[in-house]
Amino acid sequence: MRTAIIGAGAMGGALAEGLLKSGAIEPSNLTIADPCEAALKRFEGSGASITIDNSAAVADADTLFVVVKPWLVQQVIEGIMPHISGRRLTIVVIAAGVPSASISHWLQMDSNSEFTLFLAIPNTAIAVMQSMTFLVPAVAGAADTEAMKGLFEKVGECIVTEERLLAAGTTLASCGIAYAMRYIRAATEGGVEIGFKAHDAQQIVQQTVKGAVALLQATGNHPEAEIDKVTTPGGVTIKGLNEMEHAGFTSAVIRGLKAGMKA
């Protein structure tokens, strides 16, 4: 299967990295396109083909990932249409907030179209095969959907969802990477204040967060069940938690997620 990725920025580059590291796609079957040569430089020597020409990238592709800023999706699709029109092609658009109806229109899709169309929202952890990806089969059958879900499961976890929930998924998981990073940064700064060197504090916080996730995944427990195990009556953990709640910790997280939905 020949695969092309148009866009090698933060998200497109992460997608390419993850697919190559996971072995999901043979390097010789992957072409990465971006108008910026600097964005492509990191893929030199990877075995994948690189090009600044989108039309060259899609020339013999079976699967195409369009991973560009939302306001560039129409321009990119219309630019490659002369080279993909009438072909059997699976197209995955990764661009927040661009509706499938608009993409279908730009692709000139009708009852005779050979295109299969997905919307997807991964997060940048796809580069290390730990993405949380939301997949919408906009114009796709069950077999194609299962195949695409399987591909994304090689670089993390994947949920097939409705298009109406894609914005919520973006906020919770794609933006959520930044929210998690901000907690890690804040906890690291706190660790420095209570006596650790910055590097050591970050290592401690990272492993603690990793351990918390591993516990939940291993047990299937609600987070509060694990919290109860370490909150001794009158102890330091419950005092720390309550102080965070007095400062609006839970409320701030929920408000931040809801604010992201309004963007």
Side-chain angles (χ1 to χ4, degrees):
M1 181 178 72
R2 293 286 305 172
T3 300
I5 299 174
I6 294 180
M11 189 67 254
L15 171 65
E17 283 187 44
L19 292 175
L20 289 168
K21 287 177 183 175
S22 68
I25 295 175
E26 287 292 327
S28 59
N29 286 330
L30 178 63
T31 299
I32 307 163
D34 196 286
C36 177
E37 291 184 356
L40 295 169
K41 198 165 185 63
R42 61 175 156 155
F43 296 106
E44 290 179 351
S46 68
S49 300
I50 56 175
T51 179
I52 60 171
D53 184 355
N54 291 347
S55 60
V58 303
D60 59 354
D62 303 300
T63 301
L64 168 64
F65 292 89
V66 178
V67 197
V68 297
K69 298 298 184 184
W71 56 88
L72 293 176
V73 174
Q74 180 178 2
Q75 175 185 326
V76 167
I77 288 176
E78 291 180 347
I80 61 173
M81 273 301 292
H83 308 281
I84 64 173
S85 183
R87 286 170 47 191
R88 185 182 297 274
L89 184 65
T90 296
I91 301 169
V92 185
V93 176
I94 299 176
V98 183
S100 62
S102 297
I103 298 168
S104 296
H105 175 69
W106 300 328
L107 288 168
Q108 302 171 24
M109 293 180 71
D110 56 29
S111 58
N112 296 317
S113 175
E114 294 288 337
F115 295 144
T116 298
L117 176 62
F118 292 96
L119 306 183
I121 296 293
N123 59 34
T124 52
I126 201 167
V128 291
M129 296 170 287
Q130 293 295 329
S131 179
M132 179 67 255
T133 300
F134 297 89
L135 181 67
V136 176
V139 183
D144 288 326
T145 300
E146 195 60 31
M148 187 56 63
K149 181 174 183 284
L151 178 65
F152 277 114
E153 284 178 338
K154 291 181 179 179
V155 285
E157 295 191 15
C158 180
I159 291 177
V160 177
T161 189
E162 303 170 53
E163 187 168 350
R164 67 180 182 86
L165 290 174
L166 208 53
T170 300
T171 300
L172 195 57
S174 187
C175 301
I177 281 282
Y179 303 152
M181 295 291 184
R182 182 57 59 88
Y183 167 77
I184 291 171
R185 189 183 85 172
T188 297
E189 291 175 352
V192 173
E193 188 165 336
I194 61 178
F196 289 100
K197 292 181 179 179
H199 179 270
D200 292 338
Q202 182 171 327
Q203 180 184 358
I204 292 164
V205 174
Q206 287 173 179
Q207 181 59 33
T208 302
V209 171
K210 183 178 178 181
V213 171
L215 276 172
L216 294 177
Q217 290 178 328
T219 64
N221 285 344
H222 190 284
E224 286 300 324
E226 295 299 327
I227 289 172
D228 287 344
K229 293 178 183 179
V230 293
T231 47
T232 306
V236 295
T237 305
I238 192 61
K239 289 177 181 176
L241 283 171
N242 284 343
E243 191 63 31
M244 291 180 189
E245 289 301 333
H246 288 319
F249 181 80
T250 297
S251 176
V253 171
I254 294 170
R255 288 177 65 182
L257 291 169
K258 291 171 73 175
M261 288 288 292
K262 296 175 183 177

